[in-house]
Amino acid sequence: MLSRTILLEKKQTGFSCSIQNITEEDLLQQTGDTLIQIQYSSLNYKDALAITNTGPVVRQWPMVPGIDGVGTVIHSNSQQYQIGDNVILNGWGCGETHWGCLSQYTHLKSEWLIPLPTGISTLQAMAIGTAGYTAALCVQRIIEHGITPEQGNILITGATGGVGSVAIMLLTQLGYTITAATSKTNNTDYLQQLGVQHFIDSKTLASAGKPLQKEQWAAAIDVLGSHSLANICAQIQYGGIVTACGLAQGMDFPATVAPFILRGITLAGIDSVMAAYPKRMAAWNFLAKHLNTNQLQHIAQTISLNECPEIAQEIIKGKIKGRFIVDVNR
């Protein structure tokens, strides 16, 4: 068995990204108990950083990128899954410390997997991917905090990205009013199609602001970090919540305690990479219940393994919107 794969290598001659055929023996050297035939993967920002070698994502070499995957179990030493089961992989260090899913086959630990939820196809699962699953975790946290549609607008940064797009779709289905923060003013039609009612230029959040600002948002989902996250916290209504799940602007958080002790706001960190099985299943079942899967065609397009390096460059340059499903057999 040969697996057509994106392989990232670092040698004395430098970094390389190439399409190669790797053997089953190569795959089985990766720690795991379940061999999966991948149907679809996806191309995320973290994958783009790895493929372009523009961020310190890869920690072991050589590496197969791909933090997402959906496919069929063809062998397992675990009693949790049987041959023929369709399963999803999100995170767990795949594409960083363990070979990922931008490959026709992958060898993974069964505890990293979840069964494909009823009502979601394999193609739809990768249109959602880690980005959509992260969005579900954010939306669930906002609901758990007690924020209702009547309390005001929900601000979403990085609105044209994968997390933002799925979050908009979910919140719209649940009756919330959305304000999208985006620098891509030419993509307002795309966002309105998903359900956005209001827009702000994300550049207005990007610089240092006052510790307390006008209360504008009942809650927020932020993928930017840095000054943007600090300003969002300063603008959240009394008792509101900000879910933080990204650092596209930066890892720093130049804020004060003022919004927390004077307005009682909550800053909730959202981790999708190492989340426990029950939380993953709850998020995916939430998606299966509340997401209008017909809308996924508006946010996702399917590409081949060969197209990944070029698209990865465009992702790093911030020139894309939505999601990229990777058909590993094309």
Side-chain angles (χ1 to χ4, degrees), residues 206-211 225-231 249-256:
S207 301
K210 295 180 180 179
S226 192
H227 287 294
S228 293
L229 179 56
N231 284 321
Q249 185 184 351
M251 190 181 293
D252 59 321
F253 181 46
T256 75

Side-chain angles (χ1 to χ4, degrees), residues 211-266:
L212 282 177
Q213 301 171 36
K214 180 182 177 181
E215 296 179 47
Q216 299 189 64
W217 327 111
I221 296 174
D222 179 59
V223 301
L224 299 175
S226 192
H227 287 294
S228 293
L229 179 56
N231 284 321
I232 292 166
C233 288
Q235 296 172 7
I236 291 293
Q237 296 171 7
Y238 188 93
I241 183 171
V242 182
T243 58
C245 61
L247 42 71
Q249 185 184 351
M251 190 181 293
D252 59 321
F253 181 46
T256 75
V257 298
F260 303 97
I261 63 174
L262 298 179
R263 291 182 180 164
I265 76 159
T266 296

Side-chain angles (χ1 to χ4, degrees), residues 6-327:
I6 294 180
L7 193 66
L8 309 179
E9 298 178 280
K10 258 191 179 178
K11 301 177 180 178
Q12 289 184 340
T13 53
F15 171 80
S16 69
C17 169
S18 60
I19 308 290
Q20 295 192 25
N21 288 321
I22 57 175
T23 66
E24 183 175 356
E25 183 180 358
D26 293 328
L27 285 169
L28 294 179
Q29 288 179 3
Q30 294 291 304
T31 303
D33 55 20
T34 303
L35 187 63
I36 301 164
Q37 184 173 10
I38 296 294
Q39 295 181 37
Y40 301 103
S41 184
S42 70
L43 196 59
N44 298 275
Y45 185 73
K46 187 179 285 187
D47 299 318
L49 287 172
I51 289 171
T52 59
N53 195 35
T54 52
V57 172
V58 178
R59 301 176 191 179
Q60 294 181 15
W61 303 92
M63 180 55 62
V64 175
I67 67 172
D68 281 339
V70 63
T72 305
V73 173
I74 60 174
H75 174 75
S76 182
N77 292 325
S78 167
Q79 295 186 358
Q80 188 171 359
Y81 296 105
Q82 306 298 317
I83 294 172
D85 287 348
N86 285 330
V87 293
I88 297 173
L89 179 282
N90 300 119
W92 290 113
C94 289
E96 301 175 71
T97 58
H98 190 285
W99 283 8
C101 297
L102 284 169
S103 176
Q104 290 177 311
Y105 294 87
T106 190
H107 190 232
L108 302 171
K109 294 182 180 181
S110 56
E111 59 261 36
W112 294 348
L113 307 170
I114 64 166
L116 181 70
T118 302
I120 295 178
S121 71
T122 54
L123 184 69
Q124 290 168 343
M126 286 300 99
I128 296 166
T130 289
Y133 147 62
T134 303
L137 292 171
C138 291
V139 173
Q140 286 178 305
R141 187 67 180 84
I142 288 170
I143 293 171
E144 289 165 3
H145 193 72
I147 303 298
T148 63
E150 296 74 28
Q151 289 177 255
N153 284 10
I154 310 296
L155 179 69
I156 298 178
T157 63
T160 60
V163 173
S165 295
V166 176
I168 291 164
M169 292 163 60
L170 281 171
L171 288 165
T172 299
Q173 284 290 110
L174 293 165
Y176 290 85
T177 301
I178 311 299
T179 295
T182 180
S183 60
K184 300 173 183 175
T185 54
N186 60 329
N187 285 326
T188 54
D189 288 348
Y190 166 83
L191 292 169
Q192 286 174 330
Q193 194 174 25
L194 298 182
V196 173
Q197 296 96 330
H198 307 287
F199 300 89
I200 64 169
D201 189 335
S202 58
K203 293 176 184 176
T204 62
L205 300 169
S207 301
K210 295 180 180 179
L212 282 177
Q213 301 171 36
K214 180 182 177 181
E215 296 179 47
Q216 299 189 64
W217 327 111
I221 296 174
D222 179 59
V223 301
L224 299 175
S226 192
H227 287 294
S228 293
L229 179 56
N231 284 321
I232 292 166
C233 288
Q235 296 172 7
I236 291 293
Q237 296 171 7
Y238 188 93
I241 183 171
V242 182
T243 58
C245 61
L247 42 71
Q249 185 184 351
M251 190 181 293
D252 59 321
F253 181 46
T256 75
V257 298
F260 303 97
I261 63 174
L262 298 179
R263 291 182 180 164
I265 76 159
T266 296
L267 177 59
I270 304 297
D271 169 54
S272 60
V273 176
M274 306 299 288
Y277 181 87
K279 183 174 284 189
R280 290 171 182 266
M281 282 304 306
W284 275 97
N285 288 331
F286 183 82
L287 286 157
K289 181 177 180 180
H290 296 292
L291 189 66
N292 179 357
T293 53
N294 291 329
Q295 281 190 300
L296 290 171
Q297 62 184 316
H298 300 307
I299 73 165
Q301 55 185 295
T302 303
I303 61 174
S304 66
L305 279 179
N306 287 337
E307 294 173 275
C308 287
E310 182 179 352
I311 299 296
Q313 293 284 354
E314 297 300 295
I315 291 174
I316 296 301
K317 293 175 184 176
K319 293 185 176 181
I320 59 92
K321 63 179 185 290
R323 296 275 299 151
F324 288 91
I325 303 165
V326 182
D327 184 344

